[in-house]
Amino acid sequence: MEKILVGLKRVVDYNVRVRVKSDSSGIETEGVKMSINPFDEIALEEALRIKERGEASEIIVISIGSTEAQQQLRTGLAMGADRAILVETDSQVGSLCVARAIKSFIDRDSVDLVILGKQAIDGDNNQTAQMLSAIWDRPQATFASQLEIKGDKAMVTREIDAGLEVIEIDLPAVISADLRMNEPRYVKLPDIMKAKKKPLEITALSDLNIDQGPEIKSLLFEAPLERSRGAMVNDVAELVATLKEKGLA
Amino acid sequence: MPKILVIAEHNGAKLNTSTAKTVACAASMDEAIIDVAVFAADASFIAIEAAKLNSVKRVMKYERSENEHSLAAIIAPQIIAIAEEYTHIFAPSTTFGKDLMPRVAALLGVNQISDVMSIESSRIFKRPIYAGNAIETIEIPMQDIVVATIRIASYAATTNGNSATIESGNPSKVKLPTHTRFVEIKSSVTDRPDLQTAAKVVSGGRALASEENFDIIYKLAGKLNAAVGASRAAVDAGYVPNEMQVGQTGKIIAPDLYIAIGISGAIQHLTGIKDAGTIIAINKDAEAPIFEVADIGLVADLFIAVPELIEALN
Ligand SMILES: Cc1cc2nc3c(=O)[nH]c(=O)nc-3n(C[C@H](O)[C@H](O)[C@H](O)COP(=O)(O)OP(=O)(O)OC[C@H]3O[C@@H](n4cnc5c(N)ncnc54)[C@H](O)[C@@H]3O)c2cc1C
């Protein structure tokens, strides 16, 4: 296999407790720590391991987003990716548009395998990998916790509600990474220096020849109903009494 | 008038409860006409179960040997072949629906809505984002068919009592890919209640510290006739299998009673239990965030409190 393409999305770091803006127009992102979506980091780690086993020769990272997403692409290059592509846009684009943008680079660069995170922790949509494989007319293996490349096929173990499902797919294909696929490596300082010299190509989304269709419109953002702190009990006897009172035991 | 197609989830033999919850969501839309589609190798028993669900007008069976394992790449093109008749296509937001529906939407050239928690109108929906820390209201463009997954924890299952008509569709015209092949499913077989639909759930976290220690969680669950869940940390550490994970990237559940034992209450975990009736937490750290959402909290060492609790319930 020649090339693996990995998607990296810039998102609010998973440790940040997000807040809705007071005018309900969106999420407060001013001054908030931004990171690579954790699932995408896992996707990149998997691609790097495939390359390190000698089963692929080039790892390309791609992000569709604002100019600041170059930071996340640089981190991806520091982790070990060979080159990066930023498809720049300031608008909020839906998963279908992202899938179409990625597809145009699959065609241009003759990509053999795409690994994406199963969901981004901002919109929690869980869509892009499935949409990409649909428009590419190739197999999808979502929520993957294990991936084994066997020539022009792959065996993938998927985390599903009933347990683990194993499927065999023909390559090229799209994989979406679940949390237990691997543990991403830490970036070392010398790698950050080296990453500065790796190629990072920037293309405007509007320069790609893709159908941008009408997007889903956001009307309003609200804080969720919060649960409130209840009562503390002192011991198990009190706990059992309360359970019985509520008819729960 | 909205015409909604609900894609049935099943395991080849039985209808999954997620289908009845998805039908309940569809029925909350004004004047909706609801069909259920069953894609299976042998759909006969599943279709009979689906036809009992109130609010369903018609059950369509699509039987092909290729449909035996509910693979998205196989089912999606068959849905596309019948999509024209409908204004909306819904499936549960389980791993089945999440795998399938974006593929359907992309083939139809539209965006997809994930995790609908409330229907405001035929084109306006609410859904959680950022692990449930915000709720977004969205509007679908006028001309688009609405393809959505439904957050099943937000809906009570539609009751039985109906006898909708059952019809056989003719799916054999659709050409199916052969690039995706089912190999096997590994499930831990249990006779405990199903985590996604159980009225009571007992979950254990990292504090359990081993697979063997998890036994006390199973014992307590047994006493309460509860399903067993876990935090991501407990699954990652190999104490329990992946299908027991509750949270943002595991199962989103809404039992009447949820007991969290040795779980700190990270936002990614809490998003899975927001809709629970009563939350009970047992944790030795009085500052653990789980106590901020628990209805009843007990600060205690679980290895002392849980055996006591089991004893007291005898
Ligand atoms: C992208 C992403 C997705 C995630 N998705 C999920 C998800 O779906 N579900 C999920 O659960 N997590 C998820 N997580 C992980 C989450 O952030 C937490 O790391 C995880 O929930 C912690 O599990 P825990 O509470 O068991 O462990 P810890 O946070 O380590 O908590 C253990 C608790 O046990 C208590 N304890 C220790 N010993 C005892 C004792 N003897 N008696 C009583 N109490 C004791 C401690 O006080 C502590 O509060 C996700 C994280 C990320 C980044």
Side-chain angles (χ1 to χ4, degrees):
Chain A
M1 180 160 52
E2 278 282 307
K3 294 174 190 167
I4 305 180
L5 184 65
V6 174
L8 297 184
K9 187 176 187 186
R10 173 184 169 89
V11 299
V12 173
D13 187 84
Y14 79 95
N15 277 313
V16 173
R17 186 150 200 143
V18 303
R19 304 243 172 263
V20 174
K21 285 186 182 158
S22 52
D23 65 358
S24 303
S25 66
I27 301 299
E28 200 58 74
T29 50
E30 196 78 20
V32 161
K33 183 177 180 210
M34 304 296 285
S35 301
I36 298 179
N37 175 42
F39 292 93
D40 301 349
E41 237 179 329
I42 294 169
L44 176 54
E45 176 64 36
E46 195 66 20
L48 295 171
R49 290 184 190 187
I50 293 170
K51 186 183 167 192
E52 284 158 3
R53 287 199 300 266
E55 293 169 352
S57 45
E58 187 182 30
I59 311 297
I60 310 161
V61 285
I62 185 168
S63 190
I64 289 79
S66 64
T67 188
E68 288 82 14
Q70 288 179 64
Q71 291 165 14
Q72 280 65 42
L73 289 170
R74 286 287 170 207
T75 307
L77 293 170
M79 277 178 74
D82 297 290
R83 62 184 168 96
I85 302 167
L86 172 65
V87 180
E88 200 178 322
T89 172
D90 283 326
S91 31
Q92 287 291 331
V93 290
S95 309
L96 185 59
C97 178
V98 170
R100 284 172 174 158
I102 296 176
K103 171 69 166 48
S104 65
F105 288 91
I106 291 176
D107 295 341
R108 190 196 74 177
D109 292 357
S110 307
V111 169
D112 303 291
L113 179 68
V114 179
I115 313 182
L116 304 179
K118 81 162 175 181
Q119 74 192 72
I121 59 165
D122 48 5
D124 280 333
N125 276 311
N126 196 330
Q127 300 171 350
T128 307
Q130 297 88 315
M131 289 185 162
L132 176 60
S133 47
I135 58 180
W136 193 12
D137 198 14
R138 294 306 307 165
Q140 67 187 45
T142 51
F143 329 142
S145 61
Q146 231 176 304
L147 168 63
E148 201 187 327
I149 308 289
K150 294 181 159 176
D152 57 358
K153 295 186 181 61
M155 289 286 259
V156 185
T157 303
R158 308 178 53 230
E159 291 203 2
I160 61 168
D161 291 336
L164 296 171
E165 182 187 71
V166 183
I167 59 174
E168 186 188 58
I169 53 175
D170 295 337
L171 300 177
V174 182
I175 312 288
S176 86
D178 214 321
L179 287 174
R180 277 173 282 276
M181 194 168 207
N182 58 52
E183 257 187 67
R185 65 195 64 190
Y186 286 103
V187 179
K188 294 186 226 71
L189 197 60
D191 297 328
I192 298 175
M193 302 313 289
K194 256 192 271 167
K196 291 192 175 142
K197 297 203 194 78
K198 291 184 180 174
L200 194 164
E201 163 191 359
I202 302 178
T203 309
L205 177 65
S206 51
D207 286 346
L208 298 180
N209 191 16
I210 57 171
D211 174 5
Q212 266 185 267
E215 290 285 355
I216 290 176
K217 210 159 97 191
S218 280
L219 301 181
L220 181 76
F221 295 82
E222 297 162 280
L225 288 177
E226 294 290 349
R227 294 185 74 101
S228 49
R229 183 183 265 274
M232 299 301 280
V233 292
N234 291 312
D235 52 31
V236 168
E238 229 181 282
L239 176 57
V240 173
T242 321
L243 276 175
K244 293 212 161 124
E245 209 174 284
K246 291 183 173 242
L248 291 167
Chain B
M1 219 180 301
K3 202 163 172 217
I4 307 179
L5 180 66
V6 170
I7 312 300
E9 176 173 9
H10 58 81
N11 64 0
K14 283 179 64 182
L15 193 65
N16 189 302
T17 323
S18 61
T19 309
K21 296 188 174 209
T22 305
V23 168
C25 171
S28 72
M29 192 182 296
D30 284 345
E31 304 191 317
I33 296 172
I34 303 168
D35 284 356
V36 174
V38 181
F39 297 90
D42 171 2
S44 46
F45 184 68
I46 304 159
I48 291 168
E49 285 189 309
K52 289 182 194 155
L53 297 175
N54 284 324
S55 315
V56 173
K57 174 127 185 294
R58 185 172 68 149
V59 176
M60 299 295 299
K61 294 194 286 188
Y62 298 94
E63 297 179 299
R64 285 179 77 151
S65 57
E66 294 95 328
N67 287 344
E68 194 180 345
H69 297 295
S70 292
L71 296 167
I74 303 288
I75 301 175
Q78 299 175 69
I79 296 175
I80 304 309
I82 55 172
E84 215 175 46
E85 268 192 63
Y86 299 92
T87 56
H88 298 68
I89 308 178
F90 286 180
S93 185
T94 53
T95 51
F96 163 75
K98 288 178 186 168
D99 186 39
L100 175 64
M101 298 303 265
R103 193 166 182 110
V104 170
L107 292 175
L108 292 168
V110 298
N111 271 298
Q112 189 237 300
I113 313 151
S114 297
D115 305 314
V116 168
M117 58 187 285
S118 133
I119 292 183
E120 307 294 301
S121 78
S122 64
R123 311 226 136 241
I124 300 181
F125 305 88
K126 284 187 194 274
R127 58 176 305 263
I129 56 175
Y130 287 93
N133 282 307
I135 309 297
E136 185 183 15
T137 304
I138 51 173
E139 185 175 22
I140 312 304
M142 214 42 220
Q143 66 280 13
D144 283 2
I145 178 168
V146 177
V147 181
T149 61
I150 308 305
R151 183 178 184 274
I152 54 175
S154 298
Y155 294 91
T158 291
T159 47
N160 278 336
N162 194 6
S163 48
T165 50
I166 300 176
E167 291 174 26
S168 284
N170 178 6
S172 56
K173 285 183 296 220
V174 184
K175 197 169 172 296
L176 299 180
T178 55
H179 53 46
T180 306
R181 297 168 292 275
F182 173 86
V183 178
E184 61 175 328
I185 280 193
K186 300 175 207 161
S187 312
S188 37
V189 188
T190 90
D191 44 16
R192 277 187 293 277
D194 170 49
L195 175 57
Q196 228 145 12
T197 51
K200 296 176 187 174
V201 173
V202 180
S203 281
R206 193 199 307 271
L208 270 301
S210 74
E211 193 181 342
E212 296 71 43
N213 287 346
F214 232 86
D215 252 6
I216 56 173
I217 302 293
Y218 293 119
K219 277 205 188 102
L220 177 59
K223 281 275 170 286
L224 293 163
N225 191 27
V228 177
S231 70
R232 173 191 170 190
V235 177
D236 284 2
Y239 309 156
V240 292
N242 67 285
E243 61 264 36
M244 283 168 52
Q245 182 171 319
V246 172
Q248 182 186 20
T249 51
K251 289 181 174 139
I252 310 277
I253 57 174
D256 300 331
L257 174 65
Y258 186 78
I259 309 186
I261 298 173
I263 292 178
S264 60
I267 44 172
Q268 294 89 1
H269 187 80
L270 298 184
T271 190
I273 56 170
K274 282 215 161 104
D275 297 290
T278 301
I279 297 177
I280 295 180
I282 301 177
N283 195 306
K284 72 174 182 191
D285 174 10
E287 303 297 315
I290 188 81
F291 289 125
E292 281 162 38
V293 300
D295 299 284
I296 308 171
L298 173 63
V299 179
D301 185 328
L302 76 91
F303 295 109
I304 297 167
V306 176
E308 266 179 42
L309 185 54
I310 294 168
E311 187 61 37
L313 291 170
N314 264 334

